[in-house]
Structure formats: C-alpha cells, structure tokens
Amino acid sequence: MYDRESVVQLQVMASHVWEFLGSHRVFLFVMACVLMLTRRYLRFLNATRFFPPGPPRLPFIGNALNFDQAYPHQTFLKYKKIYGPVFTIHLPNPIIVIADFDLLKKFNSLFGNELAGRPSGYIYGLFSKHQPDGDGIILCQGERWSAQRRFALRTLRDFGMGKSLLENKINDHLSLLLKRMDSYLENDNGVCKANIDLSLHLSFCVGGIINDLVMGRHHYFGDPEFLYFKKLIDNTLKGFASPSLQLVDAVPLTRFIVPYYRQYIREGFAIQNYFIEEIKKHMKTFDVTTEPTNFIDAYLKDMSETHSHSKHMSIQTLAIDSGDLWTGGMETTVTSILWGVLYLIHYPEVQTKLHDEIDNVLDVTPAMVSERHLLPYVQATIDELLRIINVLPWGIPHQALADVEVKGHTIRAGTTVMMQIGAVHFDETIFPEPEKFKPERFLDEYGNYKPHKKLIPFGMGKRQCLGESLARMEVFLLFVSLVQNFSFHAINDKLPTIERRAGMTSVPHPYICEIRKRHKNLIMANDSQNEK
Ligand code: HEM
C-alpha cells in the first residue's frame, strides 16, 4: 500500500510529465520523425552497400532531377559511359539499370525467372489490396501472374491474335476510322483535304479494337462514356509516373501532404469499378455453353469450369487484368501511329517512298498481314519508328525474385531492376546516328527488308509484351492503310514540333496536320462497316 503523501507526489510528477509532453508535443513529434527517418535511411544505406556504382543522389528525391524527363535514354547512356553497363540510380528507391543488349540477353536467358518479378510499391498496392505478389498481369508476379499471363495469351490466341480472325476485327474498326476521316475532307481546288488532329480518331479506333476484345463492347465516335474512361486511364498513367507519387511510393507517410494523391486513388478506383460493373453485366448475360467472344466472358467461363486454379482467378483479378489489357494496348499503339504520321510530315522523302512502294505493290487493294513481306520499305519504316520513338522510355520495372550475380555485383532479391530498351535503341555502336530517322538501316543493299536482332521495342524474356502480335498487326494495318489512302503535310509549311513530352509513355505534343485524299474512293478491307 502507498501512503497518501507518495500518491500525491506521483500525481504531481505525472502532471509535470503530461504538461511537458503537452508543451513539447511538436518537438517530440519532430524527434520521432527524425529518428524514424534516420533508422530508415541507415537500413537503406546498409541494403544498398553492395549495389553497382551510380550517380550521387540527393536525400528523398534521389536522382530525379538528374534525368532529362522527356529523353531519359540520353541520361541512361551518359551514366553507362561513366559507370559501365550496369549501374544504380535512385528514383528515389534504388533501381539497378541494365543498359546493354548482350547483358540483357545473357541475363534473360540465365536468370529469366529470377528477374521476372515486378516491384509492388505502395502506390499500386492500393488497388491490389497490398497483396504481396500484386494482382492482374502487368504489376503482378509469381504464380498469380503466370496464371493470368498464360490465360490471357491463350484467350487472345483463341480470338485469333496473329491470325486472320483478328485481322478482320481490326479491319472493321479501321474502316470506321477511314470513313470518319473521309467525312471531314472537303474539295479545295480539286484537292480533297482537311486539317485534322488525329489523336482522338486513332484512340477511338484502337480503343474500339481493345474494347471489342476485352468487353465485346462498341462505342460510337465521341461517346462520352469512352472519353470519361480514357481520361481516367490517361490521368492515372500520368500520375503513376509523376515525381510526387514516386515520393509517396518510397515514403508512404508523404501521402498526407501530396495534393494529387487523393485524386489518384479516386480515379484509380473509378477505373476498377468501371470494369467490375462491366463484369457484373457480363455475369448476368453470358452463357457457359457458347464460345466466348471477349476476354471477360472467356474468363468467367473458365472460372465456372475449372476450379483447379481458381485461387488465382477472381472478379477483382479479372477487373485488373481487363484494365491491364486496356492500358497496355491502347496508349502504346495510338502513340506509335501518331508518331508515325508526325515523322512522315517531317520526312516527306520517306512518305514518297512509302507511297511508291504501296502503289506499286498493292495498287488499290487493301493490305493484308500475310503479305507484309512484299512491302520491305514499309516494314523497315515501322521498325525504325518503333526504334526511335522508344514508346516506353522507362520500360516497366522488374524485380529480382532471388539473389543474382551481375558483373561482380549481387542483385539482392527484392531489388528493382530496369531493362533499359532506350539505351539499346540509341546505342550508336548498334544503330549509328541513332537520333536520325533512317528506315534504310533496316534494308540491305538490294532493298530487301533486313530485321535487326537488337531491335527490342517489346522487351525480351518472360515479361516480353503480351500483346506484341496484336500490336504488330494493328500498327501494320493502320499505318499502311493511312498512307495508302492519304498523304500528310504540315499546315502552311509550319512543321509541328517533333520534341517529346515527359511521361511514362513517350507521347508527341498535340498536333494538327493537313490530310489529303490520294484516291477517289477509299481503299479498305471491309467497307460494310458503318458507325452506329
Ligand atoms: C506498339 C505497341 C506496344 C509496345 C511498343 C509495347 C511494349 C511493351 C513493353 C516494352 C512491355 C514491357 C516488357 C517488360 O516488362 O520487360 C510491355 C508489356 C506488356 N504489354 Fe505491351 N506494347 C505494345 C502494345 C501492347 C498491346 C496492343 C497490348 C494488349 C494486349 C499490350 C499488353 C501488354 C501487357 C499486358 C504487358 C505486361 C506483360 C507482363 O507483365 O507479363 N501491349 N509492352
């Protein structure tokens, strides 16, 4: 038992401590933060002790300010010269960069599985409920990822990826695009022409193809639902790569002070809900006994039939898979064609050669994928385009799933690894004068198409682009058809800028160009298509 005096003394002491804490609250909070950050920083220094060398970095922001955001390949190549082909950068988390074709090839064959992970940071984890291996296809790893990837590849192949079935689908949407463009043209002194911003037209065409494949849906041109959804995806992609959200990814506490964070989660969840609502509609109407014609129905059918791998398949995962196919397939392809037209405006001699080849070989018949070998200059131009535009300048980061030895350094399991495609495409020992647009580099002395094994726009190894065959078909059919039907010019000889914009995807600045019709009638594979 305590006597009364000691109790009073204790109460007085407690009230002093309470008072002290009250008046020094801010000080204590700051001290706690400093201690926490110091501990984090020391742990971080310890973890990165054995990393390959790299440029000096600033606390919290790492090397973010060192990079040319619109032309990151130039910064990567500069570091490669100083630190060798494998180096470490901090954005602000540490990333080991592999910036050499031979090493990429070697590591992909030796450690394909070990380097096939994806970093699951705080920012993306929000949408996958922070599952340790992520969810969906793009930002997922391990068994869940292989189940999704295998299923998606099989389904797209069943729908005819790389075959004529899909070619017909692409041609349906392409015909709508050509007719729509044609409807804008007016006769001006015998020339049928108009000034057009192609970006929305191409988005509806490519978005139409992917919507068709993923949801079996069609949106008419200008449909506000499509525009709203596209805006959500564009914003989320832009936000994902922004320095402020990268900071939140590295130090999640900063989410309380980053103003854009709230908008990011709101829009990210709106995308997920969009797909979940769509899936619910499919659940009401799909029939297990019929052949599915879109990805969502195929997935639901598989879920209802095979319970064996059902632990990796769920409605939530299907919603993320659908979003991944949409984001993976939309912006990359639209951007490639937009750049293609822009380069033709800047290089009219290339445009003339394309017109000559297409007119000589195809005349007024539409292009077919199976006949692309007849068009060597077209193939060379598309390869050069995919090389120079470097559509994913930062790539999609990988994560080491086990310790791997790289040039005397150990990449520890859990480390982020970047397979730098731009450092290969702009390596002057592989592609001389890499900043110049020269389709001829993909032709031999007789004018035959000469593919280059070091051209890797779709990446390599286990994570190589899942939609490569679809993308190659789309780019070929759209590009040839646009060039066959139209010619593209600067308006009043004022060239639109060819400078790049910073971002996760290398997108051109918006531009309008003059489009002239080349033949009296449109040349298209499927002229029965009409906009609903
Ligand atoms: C010109 C068009 C395209 C280019 C240049 C391109 C390029 C790439 C690249 C570089 C990667 C990352 C590879 C890696 O992580 O190492 C990738 C991944 C991916 N792409 Fe594409 N892509 C294009 C079109 C498409 C299309 C049309 C689809 C839709 C089906 C698609 C779906 C995906 C998916 C789902 C992934 C993630 C694969 C995985 O993580 O396993 N892409 N793409």
Side-chain angles (χ1 to χ4, degrees), residues 118 137 145 149 328-329 332 336 391-392 398 457-458 463 465 467 471:
R118 289 281 192 221
I137 308 170
W145 161 70
R149 183 172 167 111
T332 44
S336 302
V391 82
L392 291 172
H398 291 218
F458 298 95
R463 285 281 182 169
C465 175

Side-chain angles (χ1 to χ4, degrees), residues 312-479:
H312 295 306
M313 300 186 91
S314 68
I315 300 303
Q316 157 94 6
T317 303
L318 171 56
I320 300 182
D321 284 357
S322 308
D324 283 358
L325 290 174
W326 219 90
T327 35
M330 173 77 177
E331 176 125 326
T332 44
T333 314
V334 171
T335 302
S336 302
I337 309 282
L338 271 177
W339 274 120
V341 171
L342 191 54
Y343 271 97
L344 294 191
I345 297 168
H346 275 255
Y347 292 82
E349 67 284 5
V350 173
Q351 188 168 179
T352 306
K353 285 185 192 168
L354 287 169
H355 283 149
D356 289 347
E357 183 176 89
I358 292 171
D359 292 350
N360 284 337
V361 176
L362 299 177
D363 193 12
V364 289
T365 53
M368 279 165 59
V369 174
S370 59
E371 287 177 1
R372 65 180 142 194
H373 62 280
L374 300 175
L375 300 165
Y377 197 76
V378 166
Q379 283 181 290
T381 308
I382 291 177
D383 277 9
E384 177 63 345
L385 188 65
L386 293 176
R387 181 194 71 80
I388 205 164
I389 64 176
N390 190 24
V391 82
L392 291 172
W394 303 91
I396 307 179
H398 291 218
Q399 174 172 244
L401 295 170
D403 290 0
V404 169
E405 275 300 311
V406 171
K407 289 214 122 216
H409 301 280
T410 306
I411 300 183
R412 294 266 170 90
T415 307
T416 303
V417 179
M418 189 185 277
M419 313 277 183
Q420 236 309 303
I421 295 173
V424 175
H425 286 186
F426 289 87
D427 180 336
E428 58 193 3
T429 64
I430 304 176
F431 299 106
E433 299 188 293
E435 300 289 345
K436 289 198 176 149
F437 183 66
K438 290 201 298 191
E440 283 69 19
R441 59 173 104 238
F442 294 100
L443 294 173
D444 68 12
E445 68 263 43
Y446 307 108
N448 298 316
Y449 171 56
K450 186 182 66 172
H452 200 303
K453 66 178 188 324
K454 297 192 179 176
L455 178 73
I456 46 166
F458 298 95
M460 52 161 73
K462 303 267 173 197
R463 285 281 182 169
Q464 187 158 340
C465 175
L466 183 145
E468 176 173 350
S469 308
L470 168 64
R472 286 194 184 278
M473 285 176 88
E474 285 180 314
V475 171
F476 174 79
L477 290 172
L478 264 71
F479 191 66

Side-chain angles (χ1 to χ4, degrees), residues 20-22 24-33:
F20 175 83
L21 286 178
H24 293 80
R25 251 196 321 249
V26 175
F27 169 75
L28 286 172
F29 177 72
V30 172
M31 280 307 288
C33 288

Side-chain angles (χ1 to χ4, degrees), residues 218-267:
H218 178 85
H219 291 97
Y220 61 90
F221 183 69
D223 187 342
E225 186 191 328
F226 179 95
L227 291 173
Y228 167 71
F229 178 65
K230 182 177 172 318
K231 193 164 167 228
L232 288 181
I233 297 236
D234 289 350
N235 286 354
T236 313
L237 277 180
K238 216 159 57 195
F240 191 66
S242 70
S244 55
L245 286 194
Q246 290 300 314
L247 180 65
V248 177
D249 209 43
V251 189
L253 254 185
T254 54
R255 67 188 182 276
F256 297 112
I257 51 168
V258 167
Y260 173 63
Y261 174 77
R262 298 234 137 261
Q263 183 189 340
Y264 175 76
I265 24 181
R266 203 176 46 245
E267 294 187 331

